Amino acid sequence: VCFIPGGLDCSISFVSHVLGKVCVHGRQKEILGVLVPRLTDLTKSDCIWQRICWRLVECVPDRWMEAVVLGFVQRAPGADVLSRLLGNLVVKNKKAQFVVTQKILLLQYGHTTAVLQNLLGYLSLDGLRRALLLRVLQELLETWSSNSAVKHSPAEQQLYISKAILICLSHLKEPEIDSCRQELLMSMMEGMKCHLDSSLPQLQRLGMVVAESISLKINTEGPVLKFEYEEDDETRELKSLLVQTPSFFVVPSLPDDESEKAGAALPLVPESNEKSHTAAPVMPDEESDAELDSDDDLLPYDMSEDKELKIKAPVYIRDCIEVLTGSRSEDVDKWEATVKALEGLVRKNPAATREVNVELAKILLHLEEKTCIEGFVELRQRAQVAVLTTDPIPVAEYLTSQFYSLNYSLRQRMDILDVLVLAAQELSCPKFHGKTKHSCAQKPCIQLPLGSDSSKDWRRIVDERIKSKTRRFNMGQSHVELASRPNEFNSVAGYFFFPLIQHFDRPLTTFDLLGEDHLVLGRLVHTLAVLMYLAVNTVAVTAMGKALLEFVWALRFHTDSYVRQGLLSCISSLLLSVPVEQILTDMTEELLETQSWLG
């Protein structure tokens, strides 16, 4: 930057053209890396240089404006510095306004969080620009709450938009929140629904975090939304954006000789606070007297030898039912012991389980966690699988009928699908009970116990000596003799499969698989694929395959990617399980249609 002596008027449009030309040809880093720090220093206390800088960017032609504005936004050390460098450029220049309010925020998503903080902080630092900040927030919320945008835009763009929304919220003042409270509430409800309906856990968590933040802003006195989700680095970063960071915490990258001046100009800790931290606390006399009367000198009881009382678990199935249904529900320890012991009791007493199979399955399906038991969901699921494998037909009929019944939550319906898959897997896989022909024991070593009669074991001793001194060139691999056992899933596969595939297109009052409950539909499709795969070599596999092809054909154009992925799994399972001869004779037409759809 050159100086013009004598107070002469001059035009800097040529410099603006050079700046725009250099930036648009990809040399932003080189020219702005030198220009921005120098202008930052010059405009810190000189209003004349501020006006020169404003004229410099205002005179850039529109065709090069985007490259220049983006370069300034990326390299400015803070929003206040960007405000000094650009002034009200976004109010005066339509191209700059489009780049700042539309292109960087809605059409791109590769910029860092610091760039978003610079950009939105710049809009918030002037009264004329705050109207643009409110408009930007409204457009961001429209995109965030759009069902189509949530389905078709990548998760990285959703995260980028969520960050921009939270930064905008951190800059809003109370009067501005009051003026748009109703719009914020409507956008929060629509966007929260779209994100929770998504099958991607990341998008669901983004919807929860942003909805919580909007609720915290619009309900300053009343109750606010609170979701349960696992916090990670991403959610912690999002929540931190809602708290506006004071500008004096942003230290610009200055040369070494100027860092001391900057450090002196940033009062991070007031003097009074510093003294309050270093001064020793003076205790009044009353507090010292109270300390003397405290019970710190009392010795605690020795609890090292105390043992936790073990609650005896029930030993009969009907006793478990009594405890779980509420007649003894006041005894929490007994309830916990029953939940932990139930699976073992069911497997040990199959005859007793068959007498109350459906009742027990109903109790487990509706069982809720009364105390904080580690692994409660897994314990309940394993007990359900045990009941289903003990008496498959009546229990499978009950569970599949309840999947399409009223007054069940989506979680319960997905639990039914999980239990059916695990039970089918257990029934279809034979248990390995066998003996090794050649045991891999250690080298024999003859050790006779004292006082034993060695004459009785002479043959064993001789055999072991011969074995130890014999060289064998090929012993063969030790193998397991598998006990022959029928596939228990063969006779019950239809009871697991066909009831699930019958009523998928019939919407209920609280359950619509082809509508908003597409997450459960995706789980159902994947469940059918697994059941089809496990039904290999069963009698009903051909009928199951034909019904599954018709099911896939009905859903082939579904909009959710998770559902379409499940349909591909169904086709793969069908081709693996159904014999080739049956496919070519019974499903030729359906297979050709499926082939054209896959193509």
Side-chain angles (χ1 to χ4, degrees), residues 213-226:
S213 304
I214 297 175
S215 173
L216 187 63
K217 279 291 183 180
I218 62 179
N219 298 324
T220 53
E221 298 178 356
V224 296
L225 280 176
K226 190 65 179 175

Side-chain angles (χ1 to χ4, degrees), residues 396-428:
E397 287 178 341
Y398 170 74
L399 290 177
T400 52
S401 65
Q402 297 308 298
F403 180 76
Y404 288 108
S405 298
L406 292 169
N407 302 324
Y408 279 96
S409 65
L410 299 184
R411 179 70 265 169
Q412 287 174 306
R413 300 181 199 275
M414 289 191 284
D415 287 343
I416 291 174
L417 297 177
D418 293 338
V419 170
L420 290 171
V421 166
L422 292 173
Q425 187 174 7
E426 184 175 329
L427 290 170
S428 63

Side-chain angles (χ1 to χ4, degrees), residues 519-559:
L519 174 62
V520 186
L521 178 61
R523 293 288 294 273
L524 172 63
V525 173
H526 283 81
T527 300
L528 293 173
V530 175
L531 294 177
M532 187 73 231
Y533 177 76
L534 296 175
V536 61
N537 297 328
T538 60
V539 176
V541 68
T542 305
M544 290 171 61
K546 195 163 185 177
L548 190 61
L549 269 182
E550 295 176 358
F551 175 78
V552 169
W553 190 251
L555 296 175
R556 65 190 185 280
F557 296 125
H558 201 278
T559 57

Side-chain angles (χ1 to χ4, degrees), residues 329-344:
S329 60
E330 294 81 7
D331 191 351
V332 176
D333 295 330
K334 189 81 170 179
W335 188 86
E336 290 185 7
T338 302
V339 172
K340 293 177 181 178
L342 185 56
E343 182 198 3

Side-chain angles (χ1 to χ4, degrees), residues 324 335-336 338-340 363-384 415:
L324 296 178
W335 188 86
E336 290 185 7
T338 302
V339 172
K340 293 177 181 178
I363 292 170
L364 290 172
L365 183 59
H366 294 85
L367 188 64
E368 295 181 357
E369 187 175 5
K370 294 183 179 179
T371 60
C372 187
I373 306 179
E374 185 177 357
F376 168 76
V377 176
E378 184 182 358
L379 289 171
R380 183 184 63 179
Q381 187 181 76
R382 284 160 51 185
Q384 288 177 292
D415 287 343

